[in-house]
Amino acid sequence: MNCDASNPHCNPIPRIIFFIYLSLFPLVIASRNLKHSSNTQLDDDDSITYIWPLPSEFSFGNQTLTVDPNLSLAIGGNGGSSSIVKEAFERYKLIIFKHHSKLSKYGASYDIGKLNVIVHSANEELKLGMDESYSLLVAKRDDHSNIGEITIEANSVYGALRGLETLSQLCAFDYGTKTVQVYKAPWFIQDKPRFEYRGLLLDTSRHYLPIDIIKQVIESMSYAKLNVLHWHIIDEESFPLEVPTYPNLWKGAYTKWERYTVEDASEIVNFAKLRGINVMAEVDVPGHAASWGVGYPDLWPSPSCKEPLDVSKNFTFDVVSGILSDMRKIFPFELFHLGGDEVHTDCWNSTPPVKKWLQDHNMTGNDAYQYFVLRAQDIAASLNWTPVNWEETFNTFAAKLNPQTVVHNWLGSGVCPKAVAKGFRCIFSNQGVWYLDHLDVPWSTVYHADPLEGITDASEQKLVLGGEVCMWGEKADASNVQQTIWPRAAAAAERLWSNKESASSGNTTLTALQRLEYFRCLLTRRGVQAAPVTNYYARRPPTGPGSCYEQ
């Protein structure tokens, strides 16, 4: 079988690493059970495995290895010329060896001096269902092996990125020896995600977020192996995006300084791709669109009744088509979110010209709601996009939706089971557990929520693409968005990546909590403003002095 990153049935990963692993087998202690240590010191004797999200399969030993700060890179396989892997290696070197200037020791000997990355496919297309699996081996040169190297093997460059993140979490700076060390080596890890869609919604309409803040969020997403940024760019409050075909639209921005140019949006998409993250844009129609009429008042049913968008005018759909056509040049991801939630049709019924149009077409308000959503879906489909809609569209007229529609759950539980039973795909974002603006939802509630809840049929489970935590921006801006996202988003990230049984084994309070506290501190060391894990209200500062690892 020829292996390609787009072939989900091809898994050549063990081919090379497996033979290396066999030579090391006497040294490797198989252990997938997370045992709790009452010792709160985070050292090499601790039995907790501090990798987040937890890998699918892993084994480790009892050695401590030092890593050369001048670690070299060798890339092999069909993807050996990948600039994505090379750039990622340089980023992770800066993370792992951030004390580099203090580390240099002339003539020092290190156990690990080389990283081999083997990528089987040269295909760098970033899409839903891309192969993110990888294997990772960290071993010392000894009597059993002449390999004193780290080896990452993956089918795609994006699997290699996930392997680099795991490697970075295995490496720790020792302040006593002033060296970077890997504890509990040799390590052998085989890993792959549980779900293909692992998302975070970021709202830039309720509060504008500068480009650098969005990049910081994307960077932090890669640390938790999330792979979709759902960019909720536009809403009723503001329209910050440049649309060349209709240049007055971004008059709906809060100010002329709170805008995104076409080049800004493309920069975000490219920045995310280098980290293996898709960007799914959203244009929410026909509701949540009052800001459109600031630049084009004819889109409002009337000056006093500004949404939903005027369903009676062809101009409305010309503008929708123009926006989507311009955005298609920026956003290559095959999914596009068309919103469709919270549509209150009273405005149509109370505006005489629209009311007359409804009567002439023998439509009720709900009929017109359906008509608008389906026309928007047709426009998206004509641009080779798969439409995603909030669950109200499914709840109201499921039989009329484009059969390729992805139903996005948010109102509560039980929607994904109904959607997949009808053959639709579904994304889980139950607001009671995965809305990050709900500050009273604790990490444990986020962690135990599951996209497959209520779905037992294997064929229907496959229709659940995954899930997404939502960072709505009414009360979050550049000053607090990161500490609202993290660390609770990481709890969902492990649910979406890791085998549920392995990640949840044992007492969660003694395993997942301790690992999440460690991951939160890893985020803060990397410059991410992650809030304490166990605060009653998310994003609040610590209540008193104490260790990062115990709050």
Side-chain angles (χ1 to χ4, degrees):
M1 180 185 295
N2 291 323
C3 291
D4 184 270
S6 63
N7 186 348
H9 304 292
C10 181
N11 184 22
I13 285 179
R15 288 192 311 205
I16 297 174
I17 287 187
F18 179 71
F19 294 110
I20 303 173
Y21 174 66
L22 284 179
S23 68
L24 293 164
F25 186 78
L27 298 175
V28 176
I29 302 171
S31 174
R32 291 184 61 192
N33 295 319
L34 293 177
K35 299 171 290 184
H36 173 61
S37 171
S38 60
N39 178 13
T40 58
Q41 289 296 108
L42 300 173
D43 56 29
D44 56 318
D45 294 325
D46 201 313
S47 60
I48 300 291
T49 300
Y50 291 103
I51 304 173
W52 195 282
L54 198 68
S56 304
E57 299 179 53
F58 59 92
S59 58
F60 55 85
N62 57 12
Q63 299 176 350
T64 298
L65 306 182
T66 57
V67 185
D68 191 339
N70 295 312
L71 185 72
S72 63
L73 172 69
I75 309 178
N78 293 331
S81 61
S82 171
S83 61
I84 292 178
V85 175
K86 292 173 184 174
E87 290 182 29
F89 173 71
E90 295 302 325
R91 288 199 307 274
Y92 278 107
K93 276 188 74 174
L94 292 175
I95 291 172
I96 295 169
F97 302 108
K98 63 181 178 181
H99 294 284
H100 174 72
S101 61
K102 304 172 186 177
L103 283 173
S104 301
K105 295 182 179 179
Y106 180 77
S109 177
Y110 299 94
D111 299 313
I112 301 292
K114 185 178 181 182
L115 170 62
N116 291 310
V117 178
I118 302 155
V119 180
H120 291 288
S121 173
N123 184 358
E124 294 184 351
E125 182 183 5
L126 188 62
K127 62 181 183 179
L128 189 68
M130 60 187 173
D131 191 332
E132 297 174 88
S133 61
Y134 68 92
S135 288
L136 169 63
L137 177 68
V138 183
K140 179 182 180 181
R141 181 184 295 108
D142 51 38
D143 294 339
H144 298 276
S145 174
N146 60 2
I147 305 294
E149 302 171 345
I150 301 167
T151 301
I152 294 172
E153 189 172 0
N155 292 329
S156 76
V157 294
Y158 303 110
L161 295 187
R162 307 305 176 226
L164 284 168
E165 174 55 40
T166 299
L167 171 62
S168 74
Q169 294 188 26
L170 291 178
C171 295
F173 179 69
D174 184 274
Y175 284 84
T177 62
K178 296 185 180 179
T179 59
V180 170
Q181 299 183 349
V182 175
Y183 300 115
K184 297 191 290 187
W187 281 91
F188 180 61
I189 295 172
Q190 283 191 279
D191 201 9
K192 62 181 180 180
R194 181 182 176 212
F195 290 103
E196 60 189 305
Y197 185 109
R198 306 180 307 281
L200 167 69
L201 178 148
L202 194 64
D203 176 5
T204 60
S205 174
R206 274 54 179 257
H207 281 99
Y208 175 85
L209 295 175
I211 291 293
D212 285 348
I213 298 296
I214 298 175
K215 287 182 177 180
Q216 289 169 21
V217 171
I218 292 170
E219 192 80 65
S220 61
M221 288 173 65
S222 71
Y223 301 154
K225 298 187 174 74
L226 294 174
N227 71 347
V228 179
L229 175 71
H230 174 179
W231 192 0
H232 189 87
I233 311 176
I234 302 157
D235 211 291
E236 62 188 87
E237 290 83 1
S238 73
F239 195 117
L241 181 68
E242 178 185 19
V243 178
T245 302
Y246 290 94
N248 290 339
L249 280 169
W250 69 352
K251 287 185 177 180
Y254 287 123
T255 67
K256 64 181 180 181
W257 300 284
E258 294 171 291
R259 291 173 168 177
Y260 304 106
T261 65
V262 167
E263 292 78 13
D264 290 334
S266 295
E267 184 179 342
I268 289 296
V269 170
N270 292 331
F271 184 89
K273 179 179 181 179
L274 293 177
R275 288 146 184 84
I277 295 173
N278 293 287
V279 180
M280 177 178 70
E282 178 178 358
V283 172
D284 195 347
V285 293
H288 290 277
S291 63
W292 299 32
V294 175
Y296 296 96
D298 283 349
L299 294 170
W300 291 331
S302 74
S304 61
C305 204
K306 299 180 179 180
E307 59 182 21
L309 294 168
D310 193 334
V311 67
S312 69
K313 296 175 182 173
N314 284 327
F315 175 66
T316 301
F317 296 97
D318 291 341
V319 174
V320 172
S321 180
I323 294 171
L324 267 59
S325 296
D326 283 353
M327 293 179 76
R328 196 63 174 109
K329 300 169 187 175
I330 304 170
F331 299 98
F333 189 40
E334 64 260 43
L335 300 183
F336 189 87
H337 209 300
L338 290 167
D341 63 314
E342 299 181 318
V343 177
H344 306 292
T345 61
D346 294 347
C347 189
W348 290 340
N349 289 310
S350 64
T351 304
V354 182
K355 183 178 180 179
K356 183 179 185 304
W357 183 89
L358 293 176
Q359 293 171 342
D360 291 345
H361 289 79
N362 196 27
M363 285 188 186
T364 65
N366 274 344
D367 293 335
Y369 168 39
Q370 173 186 307
Y371 168 79
F372 200 118
V373 168
L374 297 186
R375 279 198 67 173
Q377 285 197 336
D378 288 343
I379 294 169
S382 72
L383 295 167
N384 200 28
W385 260 325
T386 298
V388 183
N389 282 98
W390 293 110
E391 67 174 72
E392 287 96 325
T393 59
F394 171 80
N395 296 337
T396 308
F397 43 89
K400 299 294 185 179
L401 288 173
N402 183 314
Q404 295 302 312
T405 300
V406 177
V407 178
H408 195 169
N409 153 249
W410 75 276
L411 283 171
S413 60
V415 174
C416 279
K418 294 176 183 177
V420 298
K422 291 182 179 292
F424 290 101
R425 291 176 292 172
C426 193
I427 296 170
F428 175 88
S429 290
N430 183 342
Q431 65 173 335
V433 290
W434 279 10
Y435 266 31
L436 298 174
D437 57 315
H438 292 194
L439 302 181
D440 58 344
V441 176
W443 77 271
S444 56
T445 299
V446 177
Y447 188 76
H448 287 295
D450 193 274
L452 297 184
E453 178 186 8
I455 305 171
T456 56
D457 182 85
S459 62
E460 292 181 354
Q461 288 180 344
K462 292 179 181 178
L463 294 175
V464 179
L465 298 181
E468 172 182 295
V469 287
C470 299
M471 183 62 263
W472 296 106
E474 284 87 348
K475 295 184 179 180
D477 65 6
S479 71
N480 62 3
V481 67
Q482 284 284 60
Q483 54 262 50
T484 313
I485 294 172
W486 306 106
R488 290 183 301 159
E494 179 157 286
R495 176 61 63 240
L496 292 166
W497 178 278
S498 304
N499 178 285
K500 183 178 180 182
E501 289 71 26
S502 296
S504 300
S505 62
N507 186 320
T508 301
T509 302
L510 300 179
T511 56
L513 174 56
Q514 195 170 349
R515 291 189 302 106
L516 183 56
E517 287 176 328
Y518 186 89
F519 183 72
R520 179 255 173 165
C521 298
L522 177 144
L523 291 175
T524 61
R525 290 197 304 273
R526 295 184 180 184
V528 179
Q529 297 84 9
V533 177
T534 57
N535 276 3
Y536 182 75
Y537 284 106
R539 83 181 179 202
R540 282 192 175 176
T543 56
S547 167
C548 175
Y549 298 96
E550 294 179 337
Q551 59 185 19

